Amino acid sequence: MEASAGLVAGSHNRNELVVIRRDGESGPKPLQQLSGQICQICGDDVGLTVEGELFVACNECAFPVCRTCYEYERREGSQVCPQCKTRFKRLKGSARVAGDEEEDDVDDLENEFNFDGRSKEDMQYLAEAMLQGHMSYGRGGDADMPQVVHTMPQVPLLTNGQMVDDIPPEQHALVPSFMGGGGKRIHPLPFADPNLPVQPRSMDPSKDLAAYGYGSVAWKERMENWKQRQEKLQVMRNENGGKDWDPDGDGPDLPLMDEARQPLSRKIPLPSSQINPYRMIIIIRLVVLGFFFHYRVTHPVSDAYALWLTSVICEIWFAISWILDQFPKWLPIDRETYLDRLSLRYEKEGQPSRLAPVDFFVSTVDPSKEPPLVTANTVLSILAVDYPVDKISCYVSDDGAAMLTFEALSETSEFARKWVPFCKKFNIEPRAPEWYFAQKIDYLKDKVLPSFVKERRAMKREYEEFKVRINALVAKAQKVPEEGWTMQDGTPWPGNNVRDHPGMIQVFLGQSGGHDTDGNELPRLVYVSREKRPGFNHHKKAGAMNALVRVSAVLTNAPYLLNLDCDHYINNSRALREAMCFMMDPLLGKKVCYVQFPQRFDGIDRHDRYANRNIVFFDINMRGLDGIQGPIYVGTGCVFRRQSLYGTDAPKTKKPPTRTCNCWPKWCCCGFCCGGRKKNKSTKAKQEKKRGTFRKADAGAMVKKVDSIEEGKEGIENGKSALTAEQKLEKKFGQSPVFVASTLLEDGGTLKGATAASLLKEAIHVISCGYEDKTDWGKEVGWIYGSVTEDILTGFKMHCHGWRSIYCIPSRPAFKGSAPINLSDRLHQVLRWALGSVEIFLSRHCPLWYGYGGGLKWLERLSYINATVYPWTSIPLLAYCTLPAVCLLTGKFITPELSNVASLWFISLFICIFATSILEMRWSGVGIDDWWRNEQFWVIGGVSAHLFAVVQGLLKVLAGIDTNFTVTSKAGDDEEFSELYAFKWTTLLIPPTTLLIINLIGVVAGVSNAINNGYESWGPLFGKLFFAFWVIVHLYPFLKGLLGRQNRTPTIIIVWSILLASIFSLLWVRIDPFLAKSDGPVLEECGLDCN
């Protein structure tokens, strides 16, 4: 893909396609020029070399000449460059012609004397036949062509077809001298046709057999070691009896051949001394809860029945919520990765890296809310990641079509040419320049190169200049011209109308022009802005991510994807290798749909008063889920398997044959053991065979269709009798044959024969606004629509298809982002998450009734139910936090006078609650501060954001009313964590403030009443005060957020809260439903005769 192609903008529906050149070049250019330079002799595309680089015929002046004209000029022409008149030198792959001098640097013996052996048609056929054999697509063999090439046989291969010993292939005893007939010598392929006889190579009796690989000491030692290891492996299998044999690769380390073939990761269960007491206390707590509720239900409070009934209902709901949250943490585990084994297996010395390609997705919308400098740092950290550069492609989705984002990305691509080699030369961490230069550490530590200090200072100056340019762009973008933005060549910016603009694609870094200052290749960097038109539902972030899935499949089609928010940079440059230890593990990887990393944040104050870090969720809940079926998807920092996003089922694990008892009669075993399964087994076999045939038919149909596109044909005749496999795929994935063909390639890869022009045209097609109409996008394919928290819904659908996910916690955090640290922004973030859960709960994808009969495990289902039900806890929580004030104001309580047995159950329940929390902190390593902040914010968010999310969700889903709660900002100062003290008024602050005021009033009223009534009233008061202080202590961070740095509560909060508290008090005096009613005074006989 050419980096100099310019901005491609167009609309498939309107049949529009233009190219806007950069650097002030004149106007739009035709799309045919996108694939590379134009040959100045014949006018065709110059093309690429075998290594994927631009073909250069003349090394002196680089005059653009295609390979066909180069070969013709050397063979039959003047043999000199038309521009500089320098004689053409022989390049690799070219035949030697008369007059060629001896060239030491060209080692191409196979083509050296092949002058006229092959015609142009033969070469084209051979290339496509080899492409078919290696890449699973391309034209196959024709009947009228000589059969000189045979495709790869489908036979199991040892060591994945790689040579693991030191014997070169030409020294093996049996080497085919040719493959097929035809009498022509061709490039030797690694696999021969099994139907043809293998031609044995004659062995020279004068040579030692070791030259052929036999009889040497090394060969004997290898054979003996192999036999011993195989015997040990067989003994282990027999001893275990297949019971402990884990098909997922989580079992004990196997005695494999060598270090490179051992598992790339392993599962580490928690020590029994930590997990067993934790499980025991959970069971004890369940038993105590049963006795506790038995007492609560059977002992109502007659003089405060409404208070008692309200409290019991709330407590039952809290118990159900605790069960939903607790049991998915029953099997917590840790995982360990082996990066050295990954390198040994897939990065052998002297061979090209076989690590899988990865496409990075970065999404941004509004540069005014998501600063371009933050996005630039994220992109720079991706481009500098510790991974082969030819395996990395970064796609940036600009859903706001902002020219500011486009220009900032252009500046970022230029700065990356200097930043990336600096990072890799000195192996620095992190590789986001803003955070690297902000580190308060000794940058000279462990750096031995004397040039490091000098180059670091120079790079810091370069970055400061880069920041100045970015900030200048931001300042310029504050005032939009009346006629809209224009490009450098005077062309209007296609995205001037945010709601009505064509799709845009710009390749900033690619195969040509994508080199750093040291001349090394850089990863691809692609700008994407999908088409938007009025009247279409674009589905916000989920729609943008699906557009990136399609664009990346057309342009690069990496088998794995990694999505990041624009404010989450890569903090650990080897994080991608950590994920590949799971994804590329031959034993475990095929069933893994994604690897989720925990979210870590920068810029949060030390106390973390609003629990922004979410330590309890990421270090306790997610580790518990990893032991079941895997963690839920949290929206960022996640590596996906591309095939799992296409709505496919996870591959089934073949179970070993079960053992039967020989003591039963044969007819009994057949009747009871096999009879019920035989029919199902045959049915499944037929379904699998049918599915495999269907998939092969799909691949063949799509390859033919792609070939027809390359040959200039338009469309394929559709069958009239029945819906073909091709039509089913198009109905599922859309009307792009190139994209549909890419979905059939499980290991990724693009169409080698397709030009960059055709791929970019197809990429514009797949991001058109009407592409998803009448398809499965957003329903079964890609990110799922229907909720603002599309992440939970997407992961839930994958788990329902039988996939499992992995939770990876590297020692150095993989990614870091920014979090809202002031109270109002934090509440609005929680509001958005809770609203998405309410939408899922009220949709057809609710885990309570969706996905049965699939691959979702029941403990995993409990976790998803908890993730969608938790906002509804706000209703009983609000009522429960109001009860202490009511009890103090009325003198009543929610429980009768406790007996000794009742006191025992209450005390036991409190002890179990504390013991569970302590043991959780023990096995997870979470500190008590983080645990307590999480408990506090559970109450704060529950009585504010979660409550409003329930109301907003009901209005949106049931009544169709979309209600938004706006935030107005009040500027803070420029000191560290100044944003923490910035106050932003929002409606979410009213309920918790009201709760604080009425509970404080209740405490004052209760204490005053006890002072007036004497000593006897202090005993019942302690329970009520404890209840009220429980609420006040949990809301204490909220109170600090209201007071701010100046210890002054804003007037608007005081007015609203006092008004609500006054209304509540007046209604209470008027209604007073909890006081016992009496007909008159109760008179006691005093013993005196009043008459």
Side-chain angles (χ1 to χ4, degrees):
M1 201 58 57
E2 302 267 347
S4 59
L7 175 66
V8 182
S11 172
H12 177 77
N13 298 331
R14 301 187 181 188
N15 198 21
E16 299 173 354
L17 197 64
V18 296
V19 181
I20 304 172
R21 309 294 292 187
R22 293 193 299 164
D23 301 327
E25 296 184 18
S26 59
K29 297 291 183 69
L31 193 62
Q32 284 76 11
Q33 298 182 14
L34 291 180
S35 58
Q37 296 184 4
I38 302 302
C39 176
Q40 299 301 314
I41 298 178
C42 66
D44 291 339
D45 191 359
V46 170
L48 306 176
T49 64
V50 179
E51 291 79 12
E53 299 177 354
L54 185 68
F55 177 76
V56 179
C58 178
N59 294 328
E60 300 296 329
C61 65
F63 186 69
V65 176
C66 66
R67 189 169 196 114
T68 303
C69 296
Y70 163 80
E71 295 285 359
Y72 178 84
E73 286 293 324
R74 278 176 44 82
R75 187 171 61 248
E76 301 179 15
S78 60
Q79 300 184 355
V80 297
C81 174
Q83 177 170 286
C84 65
K85 306 303 179 183
T86 305
R87 187 180 185 279
F88 284 128
K89 293 184 178 181
R90 188 176 72 86
L91 303 178
K92 187 173 182 179
S94 301
R96 183 179 294 278
V97 298
D100 278 348
E101 58 188 2
E102 191 67 21
E103 293 142 346
D104 297 333
D105 57 339
V106 178
D107 186 10
D108 193 18
L109 298 178
E110 295 174 349
N111 297 282
E112 186 169 358
F113 300 101
N114 191 3
F115 299 134
D116 302 315
R118 306 186 188 108
S119 65
K120 186 175 181 179
E121 290 77 14
D122 290 345
M123 292 295 294
Q124 177 69 18
Y125 172 80
L126 179 61
E128 293 190 357
M130 292 179 68
L131 184 65
Q132 181 192 26
H134 288 280
M135 302 302 295
S136 304
Y137 53 80
R139 285 210 302 266
D142 298 328
D144 56 344
M145 293 295 293
Q147 297 183 4
V148 294
V149 179
H150 298 273
T151 57
M152 185 186 309
Q154 300 297 325
V155 295
L157 303 173
L158 292 178
T159 68
N160 297 324
Q162 299 295 323
M163 183 179 66
V164 295
D165 53 18
D166 298 329
I167 302 174
E170 64 271 8
Q171 293 183 4
H172 280 229
L174 296 178
V175 178
S177 59
F178 69 94
M179 297 182 190
K184 294 182 180 180
R185 182 179 181 272
I186 64 170
H187 293 289
L189 296 178
F191 305 102
D193 192 336
N195 299 322
L196 297 176
V198 178
Q199 301 294 330
R201 179 162 61 101
S202 58
M203 303 174 69
D204 188 354
S206 62
K207 291 185 178 181
D208 187 22
L209 287 178
Y212 300 99
Y214 292 107
S216 64
V217 177
W219 174 269
K220 293 180 179 179
E221 291 179 354
R222 281 195 297 271
M223 288 300 298
E224 291 298 329
N225 292 336
W226 181 82
K227 290 179 181 179
Q228 293 177 4
R229 290 190 175 97
Q230 291 300 316
E231 291 175 359
K232 291 181 180 178
L233 182 61
Q234 189 64 30
V235 170
M236 176 178 290
R237 287 182 177 178
N238 295 335
E239 290 178 353
N240 293 338
K243 296 181 180 179
D244 297 334
W245 194 259
D246 192 349
D248 290 341
D250 294 332
D253 289 342
L254 305 180
L256 299 179
M257 295 290 290
D258 51 23
E259 180 74 12
R261 295 183 60 185
Q262 291 187 7
L264 303 179
S265 64
R266 73 184 182 104
K267 183 169 63 178
I268 307 176
L270 295 184
S272 57
S273 60
Q274 295 181 3
I275 195 62
N276 287 342
Y278 177 66
R279 293 170 178 167
M280 290 175 59
I281 204 66
I282 291 174
I283 301 299
I284 295 174
R285 183 171 172 179
L286 275 177
V287 175
V288 173
L289 268 177
F291 285 103
F292 172 80
F293 281 118
H294 178 267
Y295 172 81
R296 291 285 282 133
V297 172
T298 56
H299 292 77
V301 181
S302 57
D303 59 345
Y305 190 82
L307 283 176
W308 168 82
L309 182 61
T310 302
S311 64
V312 170
I313 294 175
C314 294
E315 289 164 359
I316 292 175
W317 181 268
F318 295 152
I320 295 174
S321 299
W322 172 75
I323 291 174
L324 292 176
D325 179 70
Q326 186 65 67
F327 277 92
K329 297 183 284 189
W330 186 262
L331 297 168
I333 62 170
D334 290 320
R335 292 188 183 271
E336 186 178 21
T337 57
Y338 303 100
L339 300 182
D340 52 346
R341 295 179 184 176
L342 182 74
S343 298
L344 286 173
R345 178 173 293 187
Y346 295 107
E347 293 183 302
K348 295 183 178 180
E349 187 176 357
Q351 300 180 13
S353 173
R354 293 190 296 117
L355 291 174
V358 181
D359 290 338
F360 284 77
F361 293 169
V362 179
S363 57
T364 181
V365 180
D366 188 356
S368 62
K369 297 180 180 179
E370 299 163 336
L373 188 62
V374 175
T375 305
N377 273 270
T378 300
V379 171
L380 289 170
S381 68
I382 293 173
L383 298 178
V385 71
D386 184 9
Y387 207 75
V389 292
D390 58 326
K391 310 286 187 178
I392 295 294
S393 300
C394 179
Y395 293 84
V396 180
S397 171
D398 179 17
D399 222 29
M403 189 173 179
L404 173 58
T405 304
F406 178 82
E407 293 292 342
L409 207 58
S410 177
E411 292 286 349
T412 303
S413 65
E414 293 301 321
F415 179 71
R417 302 176 192 273
K418 305 172 184 177
W419 173 251
V420 173
F422 171 76
C423 294
K424 295 187 175 182
K425 180 178 181 180
F426 299 107
N427 196 26
I428 65 170
E429 296 283 0
R431 299 189 177 181
E434 182 69 24
W435 299 103
Y436 170 69
F437 292 120
Q439 290 182 122
K440 297 180 180 179
I441 60 174
D442 183 9
Y443 60 84
L444 298 178
K445 185 178 181 181
D446 299 330
K447 304 297 181 182
V448 296
L449 294 178
S451 61
F452 173 69
V453 178
K454 181 180 178 181
E455 292 194 29
R456 185 184 185 276
R457 291 172 180 171
M459 184 54 60
K460 189 171 184 180
R461 286 194 299 269
E462 293 282 353
Y463 178 64
E464 293 298 331
E465 295 174 1
F466 169 73
K467 289 174 63 176
V468 170
R469 293 193 296 270
I470 296 294
N471 292 331
L473 291 174
V474 174
K476 182 181 178 181
Q478 299 301 319
K479 187 177 181 180
V480 182
E482 294 182 0
E483 65 278 6
W485 298 107
T486 57
M487 305 287 285
Q488 293 179 353
D489 60 351
T491 307
W493 170 246
N496 279 326
N497 189 341
V498 179
R499 295 181 176 85
D500 188 3
H501 64 82
M504 294 177 284
I505 297 176
Q506 168 71 61
V507 182
F508 284 108
L509 297 175
Q511 291 180 353
S512 64
H515 293 81
D516 57 27
T517 54
D518 295 341
N520 300 318
E521 184 181 353
L522 287 173
R524 296 177 184 89
L525 176 60
V526 184
Y527 169 88
V528 179
S529 181
R530 57 181 174 147
E531 181 185 15
K532 286 191 175 181
R533 303 295 180 189
F536 288 89
N537 187 357
H538 301 291
H539 301 289
K540 299 181 179 179
K541 181 183 177 181
M545 299 304 296
N546 285 337
L548 288 183
V549 171
R550 297 191 293 271
V551 168
S552 62
V554 171
L555 298 182
T556 51
N557 196 32
Y560 303 105
L561 315 172
L562 193 156
N563 83 293
L564 290 173
D565 289 342
C566 64
D567 59 345
H568 275 69
Y569 65 91
I570 298 181
N571 183 65
N572 183 354
S573 62
R574 299 174 68 85
L576 193 54
R577 294 177 179 269
E578 299 269 359
M580 290 300 108
C581 286
F582 301 105
M583 287 295 194
M584 300 186 70
D585 194 313
L587 300 178
L588 176 65
K590 291 297 182 182
K591 299 183 67 176
V592 177
C593 57
Y594 61 83
V595 177
Q596 178 65 63
F597 291 87
Q599 292 186 18
R600 305 299 188 212
F601 301 98
D602 283 317
I604 299 177
D605 64 306
R606 181 171 57 88
H607 300 290
D608 190 19
R609 66 171 63 165
Y610 305 126
N612 283 279
R613 293 190 177 94
N614 276 335
I615 295 294
V616 172
F617 173 75
F618 286 112
D619 288 5
I620 297 181
N621 295 67
M622 297 285 270
R623 288 172 63 188
L625 292 175
D626 196 19
I628 305 171
Q629 198 176 349
I632 63 176
Y633 169 44
V634 297
T636 183
C638 186
V639 180
F640 284 97
R641 181 182 301 276
R642 185 183 287 270
Q643 287 295 321
S644 67
L645 285 169
Y646 292 156
T648 58
D649 293 332
K652 304 295 183 182
T653 302
K654 293 183 180 180
K655 297 182 179 180
T658 56
R659 295 185 178 183
T660 57
C661 182
N662 295 328
C663 61
W664 287 90
K666 185 176 181 180
W667 61 268
C668 186
C669 294
C670 294
F672 290 103
C673 299
C674 305
R677 298 183 181 179
K678 185 178 296 183
K679 185 176 181 180
N680 294 336
K681 185 176 180 181
S682 62
T683 305
K684 290 181 179 179
K686 291 180 180 179
Q687 291 177 352
E688 292 294 331
K689 185 177 181 180
K690 184 178 180 181
R691 188 178 299 136
T693 307
F694 174 73
R695 192 167 186 82
K696 291 178 181 178
D698 295 346
M702 286 300 101
V703 168
K704 290 180 181 178
K705 188 162 186 178
V706 172
D707 287 340
S708 69
I709 289 178
E710 296 174 2
E711 296 169 3
K713 300 178 181 179
E714 295 183 4
I716 294 180
E717 297 181 0
N718 295 324
K720 297 180 180 180
S721 59
L723 194 64
T724 62
E726 174 190 339
Q727 290 173 322
K728 291 180 180 179
L729 286 173
E730 288 184 348
K731 184 178 180 180
K732 180 178 182 180
F733 296 113
Q735 297 293 324
S736 171
V738 176
F739 172 75
V740 174
S742 71
T743 63
L744 304 175
L745 305 175
E746 295 185 0
D747 296 329
T750 57
L751 302 175
K752 301 300 182 182
T755 63
S758 62
L759 291 181
L760 285 173
K761 183 177 180 180
E762 199 67 23
I764 291 293
H765 177 199
V766 298
I767 61 174
S768 59
C769 55
Y771 182 83
E772 296 181 355
D773 293 346
K774 298 180 181 180
T775 65
D776 287 345
W777 284 100
K779 303 172 186 175
E780 299 293 334
V781 179
W783 269 255
I784 307 301
Y785 303 149
S787 171
V788 295
T789 53
E790 70 287 332
D791 44 8
I792 296 178
L793 201 52
T794 302
F796 173 63
K797 293 279 285 188
M798 290 182 182
H799 285 137
C800 287
H801 281 288
W803 295 93
R804 76 149 297 137
S805 53
I806 296 292
Y807 195 51
C808 181
I809 311 179
S811 56
R812 179 182 177 86
F815 311 101
K816 281 191 175 182
S818 57
I821 62 175
N822 70 69
L823 178 60
S824 302
D825 288 346
R826 172 67 167 145
L827 288 178
H828 272 267
Q829 182 189 55
V830 174
L831 170 65
R832 179 182 174 276
W833 295 342
L835 176 60
S837 296
V838 174
E839 290 175 341
I840 297 174
F841 180 82
L842 298 175
S843 71
R844 73 181 187 93
H845 290 115
C846 179
L848 284 170
W849 50 73
Y850 182 84
Y852 289 97
L856 189 65
K857 297 182 179 180
W858 70 273
L859 280 178
E860 192 80 9
R861 182 178 297 276
L862 285 184
S863 70
Y864 277 109
I865 293 175
N866 183 52
T868 55
V869 168
Y870 77 90
W872 300 91
T873 308
S874 60
I875 299 175
L877 183 61
L878 180 65
Y880 209 70
C881 290
T882 310
L883 289 179
V886 175
C887 293
L888 287 168
L889 291 173
T890 60
K892 307 298 180 182
F893 201 48
I894 58 176
T895 61
E897 186 175 349
L898 298 180
S899 62
N900 292 334
V901 177
S903 301
L904 177 64
W905 296 128
F906 274 84
I907 295 173
S908 300
L909 181 60
F910 281 115
I911 292 175
C912 288
I913 291 174
F914 287 118
T916 306
S917 303
I918 292 172
L919 291 175
E920 266 189 4
M921 289 185 283
R922 182 178 174 225
W923 65 254
S924 65
V926 174
I928 190 170
D929 291 341
D930 294 316
W931 176 84
W932 176 237
R933 294 302 184 202
N934 182 77
E935 292 295 313
Q936 288 178 314
F937 197 78
W938 176 75
V939 176
I940 295 172
V943 298
S944 57
H946 296 173
L947 180 65
F948 278 78
V950 171
V951 176
Q952 186 177 356
L954 290 174
L955 292 175
K956 183 177 181 180
V957 175
L958 301 181
I961 302 174
D962 195 358
T963 306
N964 292 318
F965 301 100
T966 58
V967 182
T968 57
S969 299
K970 173 182 167 184
D973 46 29
D974 296 330
E975 298 180 19
E976 188 179 11
F977 306 123
S978 61
E979 184 69 14
L980 177 66
Y981 305 101
F983 174 74
K984 300 179 180 180
W985 161 246
T986 173
T987 323
L988 301 178
L989 301 177
I990 296 177
T993 308
T994 305
L995 280 177
L996 268 174
I997 292 178
I998 63 174
N999 275 280
L1000 290 173
I1001 292 175
V1003 170
V1004 174
V1007 173
S1008 301
N1009 184 56
I1011 293 175
N1012 293 333
N1013 293 336
Y1015 176 77
E1016 291 79 7
S1017 60
W1018 283 98
L1021 179 65
F1022 281 123
K1024 303 171 188 176
L1025 288 178
F1026 176 80
F1027 200 7
F1029 278 121
W1030 179 88
V1031 176
I1032 295 172
V1033 168
H1034 278 79
L1035 293 176
Y1036 176 71
F1038 177 82
L1039 179 61
K1040 289 188 66 175
L1042 288 182
L1043 296 178
R1045 177 174 297 178
Q1046 294 81 14
N1047 293 326
R1048 180 176 60 86
T1049 305
T1051 306
I1052 186 69
I1053 293 294
I1054 297 176
V1055 171
W1056 273 98
S1057 300
I1058 292 179
L1059 179 61
L1060 289 178
S1062 301
I1063 293 174
F1064 175 79
S1065 302
L1066 291 175
L1067 287 175
W1068 186 264
V1069 172
R1070 179 69 181 85
I1071 300 173
D1072 199 8
F1074 300 108
L1075 291 178
K1077 301 294 189 270
S1078 60
D1079 296 333
V1082 179
L1083 302 177
E1084 297 181 358
E1085 295 184 2
C1086 61
L1088 298 176
D1089 188 2
C1090 297
N1091 297 326

